Amino acid sequence: AQSVTQLGSHVSVSEGALVLLRCNYSSSVPPYLFWYVQYPNQGLQLLLKYTSAATLVKGINGFEAEFKKSETSFHLTKPSAHMSDAAEYFCAVTESGSTLGRLYFGRGTQLTVWP
Amino acid sequence: NAGVTQTPKFRVLKTGQSMTLLCAQDMNHEYMYWYRQDPGMGLRLIHYSVGEGTTAKGEVPDGYNVSRLKKQNFLLGLESAAPSQTSVYFCASSHSRSNTEAFFGQGTRLTVV
């Protein structure tokens, strides 16, 4: 079974500071991993995904994430936060080789960016 | 290209009333999903469909029914709404492969009073 744990339901950073959002997963088979962003009153938008190619994945808006199998982690980072990054972020996992395509989501991390 | 469109965007129901949420996608995706989002809970899968005419239960299916009569549409029904079904509902669609992106609708905010 798959599950996702996002450490920290709320993260606050100053504009220009490093953003680090943590995600750990459990999966019985090699996973595919995703980060989604949700702006207020919007649907979810894909930031980036890991699908067993390069372990360091670059996404939109300057975000990147590194897949670490030994730590079962897929933490999301951005070197310099911008006010527009304020949103809720969701880590999700699905099974590689699965034909179902369903996602298992973490509980989300609300990112606040202070000026 | 509209992507995934949900109707309606907002709705208030009285306990015991019924309603249907409509999801339409124009990307010719095989797979469609209904999730509910509750504060601090992330998104939980209600039902999903792997193709026209097929549906299956997700994590939290009780109190909901679905139908996929046409490939582009996925309907979520509440036969007798309860306050516990107050939530934001998201529809999503994807290609058949698990490593492809899921596209989400804008959500339906449902309040049951």
Side-chain angles (χ1 to χ4, degrees):
Chain A
Q2 289 71 39
S3 69
V4 176
T5 302
Q6 291 184 239
L7 297 176
S9 58
H10 291 84
V11 170
S12 296
V13 300
S14 299
E15 192 172 22
L18 171 72
V19 175
L20 171 60
L21 305 183
R22 300 178 187 275
C23 173
N24 289 90
Y25 69 91
S26 66
S27 176
S28 55
V29 298
Y32 293 143
L33 293 155
F34 304 80
W35 274 100
Y36 282 84
V37 61
Q38 184 182 32
Y39 298 103
N41 300 314
Q42 303 264 326
L44 278 70
Q45 177 184 1
L46 182 69
L47 269 180
L48 48 80
K49 64 181 181 182
Y50 166 76
T51 58
S52 74
T55 56
L56 182 62
V57 181
K58 295 187 184 299
I60 62 173
N61 301 338
F63 285 92
E64 63 182 36
E66 185 172 10
F67 172 67
K68 291 188 177 180
K69 184 178 179 180
S70 62
E71 299 177 7
T72 60
S73 68
F74 191 56
H75 300 332
L76 181 71
T77 61
K78 182 174 180 178
S80 178
H82 192 272
M83 296 293 289
S84 60
D85 295 326
E88 190 157 23
Y89 293 79
F90 292 94
C91 182
V93 64
T94 188
E95 287 183 331
S96 63
S98 167
T99 57
L100 295 181
R102 63 159 294 181
L103 294 163
Y104 297 83
F105 285 88
R107 296 191 173 194
T109 298
Q110 182 69 46
L111 176 66
T112 300
V113 182
W114 300 100
Chain B
N1 188 344
V4 179
T5 303
Q6 292 183 230
T7 309
K9 291 183 170 49
F10 302 93
R11 186 73 185 268
V12 178
L13 284 180
K14 293 182 179 179
T15 298
Q17 286 185 320
S18 64
M19 79 163 293
T20 300
L21 282 67
L22 171 63
C23 177
Q25 53 95 2
D26 61 3
M27 297 171 283
N28 201 35
H29 285 168
E30 289 293 332
Y31 291 5
M32 297 186 74
Y33 315 86
W34 275 107
Y35 292 89
R36 60 177 289 172
Q37 182 181 28
D38 302 292
M41 298 296 292
L43 278 77
R44 293 180 291 170
L45 184 66
I46 306 171
H47 286 280
Y48 63 98
S49 169
V50 301
E52 182 178 323
T54 69
T55 63
K57 295 180 180 180
E59 299 171 64
V60 289
D62 293 344
Y64 305 95
N65 57 76
V66 289
S67 64
R68 183 104 181 263
L69 299 179
K70 294 183 179 180
K71 185 177 183 179
Q72 64 268 33
N73 295 337
F74 194 30
L75 279 63
L76 178 71
L78 286 73
E79 291 185 348
S80 179
S84 60
Q85 293 178 303
T86 294
S87 187
V88 181
Y89 292 85
F90 286 100
C91 176
S93 70
S94 67
H95 288 297
S96 58
R97 295 172 60 191
S98 58
N99 66 342
T100 56
E101 178 181 356
F103 292 82
F104 284 80
Q106 295 294 296
T108 296
R109 186 172 296 274
L110 175 66
T111 302
V112 183
V113 297

